Amino acid sequence: MKSGGASRQPLIAGNWKMYKTAGEGAEFIRALASSLGRLADRQVIVAPAFVGLAHAVEAAKGSGIGVAAQDVFWEKEGPYTGEVSAAMLADLGVKAVIIGHSERRRLFGETDTGVKNKVRATLDCGLLPIVCVGETEGEREEGRTEEVLARQIHTGLAAVRPEEAAQVVIAYEPVWAIGTGKTATPETAEEAMAFVRGQVAARLGESAARTVRILYGGSVRPDNVDMLMDQPDIDGALVGGASLALESFVRIVRFQRRRGSDG
Ligand code: PEP
């Protein structure tokens, strides 16, 4: 389907994983805000660990920088030791939640059904889900990339209504490119992301697919972000390692596109 990206605001999100104390995160956000100033044409989000969220929200006040959590549990409340609900995150001033990151799928048993439940709970609390999908190296070598992406999209978005597409972000992150220094070429990323958009169209309709934002993630750096952002289906980036250092993250946020804004 034709991408038609005119109305999709670019989004750069930094996933800090299990790095930075609460104080370090807050300091980083203050420095980021003063380096960036107010950016009208793009959205910036950082995702600290749970313990850093309150400090991060405080540090980001008035800057336009949004704060995301790296996970959430789908129940509203109850005897779920160690878990955090979407309502608790919303109450803190968090704006978004990364859901189904490949590290959570691989190391902590996250399933597509869990992703579906978390996406619903996140939307119900007015937060932006950033839903991660992507194939492993083995799945790509076996020619199963599309099968894996289709399954992750159809189950992960099963509880989303078509009119909610503008409040949903998908991050296509080929697992073999995360934290490895191996980036998908812009063409490989575009091919997979056009496929993802097609699956959103199949699940939620063409208008939803034109509205939903799709980020690329996997070793995004200052030297490759512009090329990636030139692709018609790439609406932004989910950045791990390069979001930890101010200089590289600022450069990534300041990506430049040579293509027109209509994709
Ligand atoms: C990520 O953690 O989502 C990620 C894309 O990491 P990196 O940029 O380090 O590959």
Side-chain angles (χ1 to χ4, degrees):
M1 65 171 293
K2 203 170 177 308
S3 169
S7 58
R8 299 195 299 266
Q9 188 187 37
L11 164 61
I12 304 291
N15 174 15
W16 289 350
K17 313 191 184 194
M18 201 172 75
Y19 294 100
K20 295 193 191 296
T21 62
E24 288 164 352
E27 198 181 314
F28 184 99
I29 290 170
R30 282 191 285 271
L32 180 64
S34 83
S35 293
L36 294 175
R38 283 305 279 227
L39 298 170
D41 65 340
R42 57 199 68 190
Q43 189 180 5
V44 182
I45 286 178
V46 291
F50 282 126
V51 292
L53 290 172
H55 284 68
V57 167
E58 186 59 34
K61 260 189 194 139
S63 69
I65 296 169
V67 175
Q70 298 175 16
D71 193 19
V72 67
F73 188 51
W74 57 79
E75 293 290 352
K76 287 191 173 70
E77 60 180 8
Y80 305 107
T81 303
E83 294 298 326
V84 172
S85 74
M88 291 171 180
L89 296 173
D91 175 63
L92 274 188
V94 167
K95 298 291 179 217
V97 186
I98 298 173
I99 297 173
H101 191 280
S102 68
E103 286 155 13
R104 296 222 58 86
R105 292 178 190 259
R106 183 167 52 88
L107 301 170
F108 303 101
E110 183 81 277
T111 63
D112 292 325
T113 306
V115 169
K116 174 186 83 172
N117 294 336
K118 291 178 179 188
V119 169
R120 188 65 255 156
T122 298
L123 285 168
D124 285 342
C125 286
L127 303 177
L128 182 78
I130 302 176
V131 187
C132 301
V133 299
E135 80 287 0
T136 63
E137 188 155 38
E139 289 163 344
R140 177 162 282 267
E141 277 163 8
E142 288 162 16
R144 295 176 49 222
T145 298
E146 294 194 347
E147 168 204 321
V148 170
L149 293 177
R151 189 200 70 226
Q152 290 174 337
I153 291 290
H154 282 271
T155 308
L157 300 191
V160 175
R161 295 185 283 273
E163 65 275 17
E164 293 175 315
Q167 281 89 52
V168 174
V169 171
I170 298 168
Y172 167 63
E173 301 206 298
V175 179
W176 46 271
I178 297 179
T180 59
K182 286 193 222 169
T183 319
T185 63
E187 294 72 25
T188 303
E190 170 59 24
E191 191 185 347
M193 292 166 76
F195 177 79
V196 166
R197 202 177 292 283
Q199 293 306 299
V200 175
R203 166 106 236 149
L204 298 173
E206 298 259 333
S207 148
R210 272 192 296 275
T211 316
V212 75
R213 288 183 291 173
I214 309 181
L215 314 182
Y216 169 77
S219 299
V220 174
R221 297 181 306 264
D223 64 351
N224 59 25
V225 66
D226 295 348
M227 280 183 307
L228 288 160
M229 290 301 296
D230 258 341
Q231 299 299 317
D233 281 289
I234 302 189
D235 301 315
L238 180 55
V239 187
S243 72
L244 294 170
L246 188 64
E247 198 186 350
S248 57
F249 193 53
V250 166
R251 172 61 187 89
I252 289 169
V253 171
R254 290 211 174 111
F255 71 83
Q256 286 174 18
R257 273 175 168 158
R258 283 158 302 175
R259 69 167 159 104
S261 62
D262 62 351

